[in-house]
Amino acid sequence: MDVNKKKRSFNGKFILIMLIPVYLFALGFGKETNANALNLTLTVTPVNSENYVQLKWNLNDNSQPYTYRVYQKKEGSNQYQSISTADLKRQIKVLNVYPTANINQWISYTTWNGTNRTILKSASAEMWMEQPNSENAKGYGMGLIDVEPVSLEAFNSNPSAYLKNNDGSWKYDVIYFGAWDQNGSTDNRGDISSTARDIVANFMNSGRGILFGHDVVIGSVTGHPNFESLRNIIKVKLLIQDNLGYVPTLSSNKVQIVKEGLLTDYPWNIGSMGTVLNIPLTHSTSQLAYGEIWMKFYDYQNSPEGNWRGPEVSDSSGNGTNNFYLTTINNAAMIQTGHSNGEATPDEQKILANTLFYLSQLTRDTQAIDRSATDVKAPSKPTINTTKFDNTTKTTTIQFNTNNDNGSSYTYKVEAKGENSGQIISSNEVTITLTSGIKGFSYVIDNSPSTIPNGMVNSNGTINIPVNTNQNAYLHIQAIDQAGNVSETAHYQIKNIVDEKFELNIPTPNNFSPITLKEQATEYKTSFNSTINIKNLYPVTGQGWRLDVSATRLTLSDGSNYQLPKSSLFIEPLSNIRAVGSTYGSLPTKGITTKTAIDNGKITLARATPGNGIGEYTLSFPNQALSVIIDPTTAKTGNYQTVITWELVSAP
């Protein structure tokens, strides 16, 4: 039992092993040329409030036009990757090389600009990007993706005529191969020619984008040897061609986003990390991907194809994965669109549009916005700045630190290529940190020491703890930044962060007027000049409280220690118990209902049962609530004194 409880205060080395085929493809423009007189200067500015990076560069040469390519290196990586410079102002030109073998289905549609088209269904990418729909009047390409279809046979016969202008410049930003099951055929009718393969490699080395659809680069057969020889540019290994031994197939009609960036944001915001998207049923085909994995198959264990249920595996070194729907590396990508033979859900069409934008990586502009750079670091665990008790609302306000976000670092460089000379100039390297800032906090209060909040923002950093909160409860809180990153959970026990208040302010009695002994026992009265104030904040579970009062016997102050008889000093019952501000539970109740002696043992003036009487209360006495009885047969003349003791007890 605690009486008059005091306030508590809380005061290496990386080895890359690659199988090198006959054709080796570089990842940059080409061999860099020293150009002492030329200076390419890059400046990089993080736009923290919008969670992207602004890049600008300047080259001191006006003698010829230049194309530019931007490279990014993530924190913790020692390798640059080229990134997209596409924006919603520049049209992207895409050549869709579609298969025709074993395909005789035709479709007709009208483009957003009124052109009537009839095409082989395997060339549906044009329709997906350019046919108006309920979400955009210009199609899923938003009028910015111009798709030119060409059959694989025609492309193989004269690839240069389709890819290059008369002056030798490239016509397109991206080549998309697909989309049809087995790319039309598992034999050479679904393969690219060796001549076309070499030109496609040059196209990719120039910085332009390559996208392989479903079963174009296939690992379970060897019927597409020329496509398969390009597998290194998408950082994919194949079961048979790379002697992998065991790579099961995975299949689903749902995919889950496992990486966020430009590819998931532009031009369509298709979702954040963990979002599940609907696609036609498709599958991987004995392939391991080693690049960036943007989307994986979701719920593949329940695939309707019993032999396409995985499991998910890596190679013997623990690298790569067979669970991928979309993978990229630099300006090359593979997507599993095509198994459905020309069918595509709105989600899949948006994914395709975003991927084509992402693979458009060359620009003549001297600035770009990198939306693939995002703050991916979680904030630090929340810490308390201040605590303050509000006597009016009867809450303790806790303010958490709102400057505890952590940023992600990125390093950039730009390469310029002279369109006449072919000369390559590299810029300076710039490293920045992108910090999105704290969006808010997610918290919950319960009786468990280890609860994890749901990650939904429900506080701006200020939390009010009501007075009826159990001291043994816990506050669990996470910080969430503007990019959606969630910190570790901080767990605080309530009793360690709030000021417990179990306080009593006692009344002061007025002195009795001088008394003249009379022939008979006479009662004399006086009043209290103040009320009683009780604060019972943050009580221990299961406890109530009581207010006890007692007094010593009236004793002569002349040193004789003479005392009046017991039951000479009396107190009246309380006249009023009033709540001050917000309280919880029932009001305290009176302990006595009639005038009672206080010099003959302790009495209870008021009490609160467990769960009640929580908050602040004023207890008042009536006038002349304190009285003394003087009997001339027992009293002596002189001055008498007594000590009145008030006790606020944390107990029923």
Side-chain angles (χ1 to χ4, degrees), residues 81 263 291-294 326-330 332-334 355 358-359:
Q81 283 199 47
L263 198 148
E292 302 277 3
I293 308 299
W294 292 86
L326 175 59
T327 180
T328 66
I329 183 75
N330 292 301
M334 177 186 284
T355 304
Y358 181 83
L359 293 174

Side-chain angles (χ1 to χ4, degrees), residues 15-19 237 317:
I15 300 175
L16 177 63
I17 301 175
M18 296 182 65
L19 296 177
K237 290 185 179 181
S317 301

